[in-house]
Amino acid sequence: MLAIIGGSGLTTLSNLDVSHREVVRTPYGEPSGAIVFGEIAGQPAMFLPRHGYGHTIPPHLVNYRANLWALHHHKASGIISVASVGGIRSDLQPGEIVLPSQIIDYTWGRKSTYFDGNGAPVTHVDFTEPYDADLRRRIREAAATLSVEVKEGGVYAATQGPRLETAAEIDRFERDGADLVGMTGMPEAVLARELGLPYAAISVIANHAAGRGSSANGIRFESLEHVLQEAMGKVKSIIEKLVGSPDSAPPMGMSV
Ligand code: HPA
């Protein structure tokens, strides 16, 4: 069963036919909210809003370890993470959808591993390719079936937040090779990897990054709210197609 983690602009999944909700207690504390279970297009799925149902948990205070642990505990077969981001690369316009392929982690002080000296053997997970190739392919194929344009690949710069970046920081990220910037991509991706959960991200460009394009003199999200909402509508339809497509169903006779 796929799990969807929703970010800003996707705090509920209206196409999820809800069967029940469950508050999960974890060894790492409270997840951002109850996990919602149900069906999308006839297939089981679960949903968790990263910032809580009231959108009250800022990126640096999200309990990423509890969130991923809870989804793993409930037998998620993979995670699709949805988040809004700022576009650094000049061709990335507000409202566009990007499937990032790489990450640079600029966050600090977040609890970013399950192997933190609690008696577990020292473990160094491979993170060469942070996103799962098969899940990314399925997102691409679902989008193609719907004729929804998604941009394939890009380097995601994960920042600490909650403040936005300075123009010089964005210049630096670009020199480093980053194409988009967001505050929640890490440690979510690496915790999924530590748990062995396939993980892929759908990034929606909410704004030009600081100092770029329409954000040359500051970032004003309000004026772009409708663009974000329209793009999130497309993301919901991609998720519906992906979860509901026969490809994502387990082979006949196989139990999950
Ligand atoms: N920077 C960081 N995170 C973001 C941005 C941004 O410009 N837009 C949406 N999330």
Side-chain angles (χ1 to χ4, degrees), residues 45-120:
M46 51 183 138
F47 178 78
L48 182 64
R50 186 183 290 112
H51 301 287
Y53 286 98
H55 205 268
T56 51
I57 311 170
H60 65 299
L61 295 181
V62 170
N63 191 340
Y64 297 95
R65 292 199 300 184
N67 285 353
L68 274 293
W69 192 97
L71 296 172
H72 183 250
H73 179 71
H74 278 284
K75 309 272 183 288
S77 57
I79 311 273
I80 296 184
S81 154
V82 182
S84 64
V85 297
I88 300 177
R89 211 171 67 208
S90 59
D91 68 297
L92 297 180
Q93 301 299 324
E96 290 192 316
I97 300 169
V98 183
L99 307 184
S101 49
Q102 276 294 334
I103 302 176
I104 302 176
D105 187 7
Y106 299 96
T107 66
W108 50 270
R110 299 184 181 188
K111 295 198 185 318
S112 55
T113 181
Y114 293 105
F115 302 110
D116 60 355
N118 50 2

Side-chain angles (χ1 to χ4, degrees), residues 171-226:
D171 289 343
R172 172 192 167 203
F173 297 163
E174 185 167 51
R175 287 194 300 275
D176 286 354
D179 300 303
L180 25 133
V181 57
M183 300 176 190
T184 56
M186 285 292 284
E188 204 173 80
V190 74
L191 291 168
R193 178 61 51 87
E194 286 190 352
L195 292 169
L197 279 172
Y199 178 97
I202 303 179
S203 300
V204 178
I205 309 284
N207 56 283
H208 291 115
R212 303 291 165 99
S214 58
S215 303
N217 300 311
I219 297 178
R220 275 166 296 276
F221 287 118
E222 313 80 58
S223 58
L224 295 166
E225 183 57 33
H226 64 286

Side-chain angles (χ1 to χ4, degrees), residues 110-156:
R110 299 184 181 188
K111 295 198 185 318
S112 55
T113 181
Y114 293 105
F115 302 110
D116 60 355
N118 50 2
V122 175
T123 303
H124 305 286
V125 289
D126 175 55
F127 204 44
T128 310
E129 298 296 336
Y131 299 109
D132 182 75
D134 195 50
L135 259 188
R136 294 179 69 233
R137 173 188 60 77
R138 285 171 56 190
I139 297 170
R140 257 191 334 264
E141 287 177 2
T145 312
L146 296 165
S147 302
V148 171
E149 199 201 330
V150 296
K151 288 195 164 157
E152 164 62 19
V155 177
Y156 177 110

